[in-house]
């Protein structure tokens, strides 16, 4: 093995779990508790790993520790390799009642409010040891799924289009509503396109600086909204339109959640703004993994 994998001889493979805990927690004591070691023992493990890898891995930043660039890279690789190695050694058995597996989801705060929150509630009932980690949506989200840094992406699935090698499943079709402050004087049930475009808007920039499922259809018509407030966050933007004349166009399922935070009026947008499919996206290499299959089933059950 030394000849075939010379770098592996530099570390004890049993230390990989400790290395992952150290890099994730960025705290020796918390990492020690996580892998059932004493704090002195974990400190000794860190010292041996630093010597073997020729890097500090963690450095003080004044208020605690931060990972070195090498530490960041190692953590990304471990997040992919350790679950696959564990599955290879243990077979494909998954028992939700005893599992401590971590599932990583990438999506916007719409996905967190509408899908992930319910999925976590389901997981807590049958799999109390399971952990769910949300990674905010970025232009790299699909690449994270390809690399194995994320297990599932939740998004529109067509804007931007995911790579062809990824699996895409439509969870449901969603449509838009316009949220406005409760004292807004408009009393109709639906905006005409002209009325909609005359009014000031708040918008969430999801991709390419646009709220794409709204702004692209309008652009195709040679139209554009008067956006006076732009933010990356649905929740914060909703709160920011209270007691203003701004319109905030959001998916209906999210509007139901946002209406719990404040007293909004709901008006339908112009008919030119269509409904859209909301999708779950994953890599086909996880298609037969029993743990991943179980987690995707929890998502499906949530959206029903």
């Amino acid at each position: 093995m030394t000849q075939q994998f010379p770098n592996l001889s530099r570390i004890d493979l049993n230390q990989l779990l400790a290395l992952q805990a150290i890099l994730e927690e960025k705290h020796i004591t918390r990492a020690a508790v996580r892998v059932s070691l004493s704090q002195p023992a974990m400190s000794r493990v860190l010292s041996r790993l630093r010597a073997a890898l020729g890097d500090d891995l963690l450095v003080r930043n004044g208020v605690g520790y931060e990972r070195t660039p090498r530490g960041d890279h190692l953590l990304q690789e471990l997040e992919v390799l350790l679950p696959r190695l564990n599955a290879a050694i243990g077979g494909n058995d998954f028992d939700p009642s005893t599992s401590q597996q971590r599932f990583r989801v990438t999506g916007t705060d719409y996905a967190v409010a509408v899908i992930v929150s319910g999925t976590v509630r389901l997981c807590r009932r049958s799999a109390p040891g399971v952990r769910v980690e949300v990674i905010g949506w970025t232009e790299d989200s699909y690449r994270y799924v390809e690399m194995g840094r994320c297990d599932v992406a939740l998004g529109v699935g067509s804007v931007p289009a995911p790579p062809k090698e990824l699996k895409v499943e439509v969870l449901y079709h969603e449509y838009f509503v316009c949220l406005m402050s409760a004292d807004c004087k408009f009393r109709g049930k639906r905006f005409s396109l002209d009325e909609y475009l005359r009014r000031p808007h708040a918008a969430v920039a999801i991709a390419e600086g646009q709220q794409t499922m709204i702004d692209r259809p309008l652009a195709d018509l040679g139209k554009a909204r008067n956006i006076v407030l732009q933010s990356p966050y649905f929740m914060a933007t909703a709160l920011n339109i209270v007691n203003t004349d701004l319109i905030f166009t959001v998916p209906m399922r999210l509007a139901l959640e946002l209406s719990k935070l404040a007293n909004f009026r709901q008006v339908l947008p112009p008919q030119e703004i269509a409904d859209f499919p909301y999708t779950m996206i994953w890599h086909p290499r996880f298609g037969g993994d029993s743990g991943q299959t179980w987690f995707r089933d929890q998502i499906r059950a949530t959206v029903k």
Side-chain angles (χ1 to χ4, degrees):
M1 186 175 104
T2 301
Q3 293 179 348
Q4 188 175 5
F5 303 106
N7 291 330
L8 295 183
S9 64
R10 293 157 56 191
I11 63 171
D12 180 349
L13 295 184
N14 291 321
Q15 295 174 350
L16 291 181
L17 290 175
L19 175 59
Q20 183 188 37
I22 290 169
L23 294 175
E24 285 189 341
E25 299 291 347
K26 295 185 288 186
H27 192 282
I28 303 301
T29 302
R30 288 200 299 266
V33 171
R34 181 165 147 185
V35 297
S36 301
L37 288 177
S38 67
Q39 193 273 341
M42 183 60 89
S43 294
R44 291 193 293 271
V45 169
L46 177 57
S47 295
R48 288 195 292 269
L49 287 168
R50 282 170 164 167
L53 298 171
D55 189 88
D56 286 337
L57 303 175
L58 292 180
V59 294
R60 289 193 178 275
N61 61 7
V63 294
Y65 286 93
E66 63 183 345
R67 290 185 293 270
T68 65
R70 179 80 184 281
D72 279 331
H73 177 72
L74 283 169
L75 179 57
Q76 291 178 14
E77 295 297 325
L78 289 171
E79 287 175 338
V80 175
L81 294 175
L82 288 179
R84 297 176 67 181
L85 181 61
N86 182 66
I89 293 173
N92 199 26
D93 296 329
F94 176 79
D95 182 354
S97 65
T98 59
S99 175
Q100 295 187 343
Q101 190 166 341
R102 177 180 59 176
F103 297 100
R104 291 160 297 183
V105 181
T106 179
T108 65
D109 59 338
Y110 165 87
V112 176
V114 172
I115 301 177
V116 176
S117 58
T119 301
V120 169
R121 286 192 290 272
L122 281 182
C123 290
R124 296 301 299 162
R125 295 174 190 171
S126 60
V130 157
R131 293 180 293 154
V132 178
E133 178 183 343
V134 177
I135 298 173
W137 186 270
T138 74
E139 61 183 10
D140 292 323
S141 286
Y142 292 143
R143 186 168 64 86
Y144 290 165
V145 175
E146 290 182 292
M147 295 168 53
R149 287 193 63 191
C150 287
D151 302 309
V152 172
L154 297 172
V156 174
S158 60
V159 185
K164 291 183 179 180
E165 60 268 25
L166 298 182
K167 298 284 288 183
V168 179
E169 176 183 331
V170 175
L171 293 172
Y172 54 85
H173 279 77
E174 178 70 287
Y175 64 94
F176 288 104
V177 298
C178 299
L179 294 183
M180 297 178 295
S181 191
D183 58 359
C184 179
K185 295 181 180 179
F186 182 80
R187 291 294 174 245
K189 293 184 178 180
R190 182 186 291 274
F191 285 119
S192 67
L193 181 59
D194 288 342
E195 178 71 20
Y196 184 76
L197 294 176
R198 278 199 301 270
R199 291 174 174 265
H201 291 257
V204 169
I206 296 174
E208 301 177 4
Q210 294 182 322
Q211 197 168 344
T212 49
M213 299 306 296
I214 300 169
D215 293 312
R216 286 191 180 180
L218 293 177
D220 290 342
L221 297 172
K223 308 290 186 180
R225 293 185 292 171
N226 174 26
I227 297 174
V228 300
L229 171 63
Q230 183 168 289
S231 164
Y233 308 114
F234 281 102
M235 297 290 187
T237 303
L239 294 177
N240 285 333
I241 73 165
V242 175
N243 297 325
T244 75
D245 59 345
L246 300 183
I247 297 173
F248 186 29
T249 308
V250 301
M252 180 61 192
R253 291 184 184 223
L254 182 61
L256 296 175
E257 297 298 323
L258 295 176
S259 294
K260 299 174 185 177
L261 303 178
N263 185 20
F264 294 114
R265 280 204 63 222
Q266 295 186 15
V267 176
L268 293 174
Q271 293 180 341
E272 288 81 357
I273 297 176
D275 61 2
F276 61 93
Y278 205 75
T279 60
M280 174 169 62
I281 300 151
W282 71 93
H283 199 287
R285 67 172 174 269
F286 293 130
D289 182 276
S290 59
Q292 297 286 343
T293 299
W294 174 87
F295 184 65
R296 292 194 298 271
D297 283 343
Q298 306 313 297
I299 292 174
R300 294 183 185 105
T302 297
V303 300
K304 287 181 180 179

